[in-house]
Amino acid sequence: MQERPYVISIAGFDPSGGAGLLSDCKTFEQSKVMGLGVCTALTLQTASQCISLEWRLLDEVIKAIQVLMENYPVSAVKIGIVKDAEFLDEIIKTVKIGNPEVKIVWDPVLKSTSEFTFFDLETLPQLKPVVNKLSLITPNYNEYSVLKENNLLPDTNKCSLLIKGGHREDHLGTDILVENEKETLLLPVEDCQLLFPKHGSGCVLSSAITAELAKGENMETACRNGKLYIEKFLKSNPSLLGTHS
């Protein structure tokens, strides 16, 4: 039997299981890849609020990544919450030393839906040379606006951009994939009125896409398959915590 591709989630620990490492690994399992995990931060949160956050030391995070990269043939990496631009850059460097061809997806969580700030916004200007080292970034509409205002969007000949449409007031649920300077609209398959808001939905989408990239899908197909996965997740039940199936 062929072994599943290995994928690392480098993200925060959410005890509710709705976002971060736990959510990513649930998604990886359902997407038929082997999920590994490195914790960037310990959070105390529920589906509706983030109460506290404690960042892990960068050296500890880097060591954990090195151990996994040295022991498993990692095909793709999903990065979630990171402290600042330096934290992100060091993670990318370490991953690429382990495998220069690895696909890296960053879900740039700047703030939670409940307005808890994760990323140190004062380091935003340092992001410009960092984002082009990635394969894909997946900001929601609000995060996209912040990156655009600060001239921090990637060169899409180097790093693809998926603008998630879940926070849009117009064309709700329509995502925009920008790859090689070409825009592709990813329209919702499900009626958005049938979908329920979910804690961690951005984590689920980005990890589903990462799993597809690990399996060898091209960027557009990976994003389309990820969108199908997230829509199924969003209609799983009416509560803020979705289920994977």
Side-chain angles (χ1 to χ4, degrees):
M1 183 179 295
Q2 185 175 354
E3 194 171 31
R4 292 184 176 194
Y6 285 85
V7 183
I8 304 178
S9 167
I10 303 172
F13 175 77
D14 168 10
S16 79
L21 274 176
L22 294 179
S23 177
D24 290 348
C25 285
K26 292 175 188 178
T27 305
F28 293 155
E29 186 71 18
Q30 290 297 328
S31 300
K32 296 182 169 50
V33 298
M34 292 291 290
L36 309 174
V38 174
C39 182
T40 58
L42 298 174
T43 75
L44 178 58
Q45 58 183 305
T46 65
S48 59
Q49 63 175 329
C50 187
I51 299 163
S52 65
L53 175 147
E54 178 186 347
W55 291 108
R56 290 191 68 205
L57 294 175
L58 178 57
D59 288 348
E60 295 175 353
V61 173
I62 295 304
K63 180 62 177 177
I65 296 170
Q66 289 171 335
V67 168
L68 292 181
M69 296 296 295
E70 288 168 3
N71 285 275
Y72 301 98
V74 176
S75 301
V77 170
K78 176 267 171 96
I79 303 173
I81 60 169
V82 290
K83 185 178 182 181
D84 51 34
E86 179 191 5
F87 208 99
L88 177 63
D89 194 28
E90 290 300 319
I91 287 172
I92 296 169
K93 288 177 183 176
T94 305
V95 167
K96 291 206 167 188
I97 288 172
N99 177 5
E101 303 302 317
V102 72
K103 302 290 186 183
I104 307 177
V105 176
W106 180 40
D107 187 30
V109 183
L110 305 182
K111 287 186 178 182
S112 69
T113 303
S114 58
E115 292 299 303
F116 191 97
T117 299
F118 292 111
F119 190 85
D120 182 353
L121 297 177
E122 291 187 1
T123 72
L124 275 176
Q126 301 169 34
L127 269 180
K128 187 63 176 178
V130 178
V131 291
N132 285 329
K133 300 177 182 179
L134 298 159
S135 305
L136 173 72
I137 63 170
T138 60
N140 63 34
Y141 216 66
N142 298 332
E143 290 157 348
Y144 164 75
S145 299
V146 171
L147 295 175
K148 184 177 181 181
E149 287 168 9
N150 289 275
N151 193 31
L152 295 172
L153 295 177
D155 175 351
T156 59
N157 288 313
K158 297 177 180 177
C159 171
S160 299
L161 168 67
L162 181 70
I163 308 163
K164 298 178 292 192
H167 289 75
R168 294 181 64 158
E169 295 182 0
D170 63 331
H171 309 297
L172 181 66
T174 297
D175 301 342
I176 302 173
L177 173 63
V178 189
E179 184 182 15
N180 295 321
E181 301 182 359
K182 173 192 171 187
E183 288 191 4
T184 302
L185 294 181
L186 305 182
L187 302 175
V189 176
E190 294 283 348
D191 180 350
C192 289
Q193 301 302 316
L194 302 176
L195 306 179
F196 304 99
K198 291 284 179 287
H199 172 55
S201 56
C203 300
V204 172
L205 175 58
S206 58
S207 54
I209 293 170
T210 306
E212 294 298 314
L213 292 173
K215 292 187 289 187
E217 298 292 357
N218 64 41
M219 188 61 70
E220 182 177 340
T221 301
C223 289
R224 289 189 183 280
N225 289 348
K227 191 168 182 63
L228 291 173
Y229 188 101
I230 190 62
E231 288 183 352
K232 189 176 181 181
F233 177 77
L234 291 173
K235 71 174 184 179
S236 62
N237 65 63
S239 80
L240 285 174
L241 288 176
T243 53
H244 300 254
S245 61

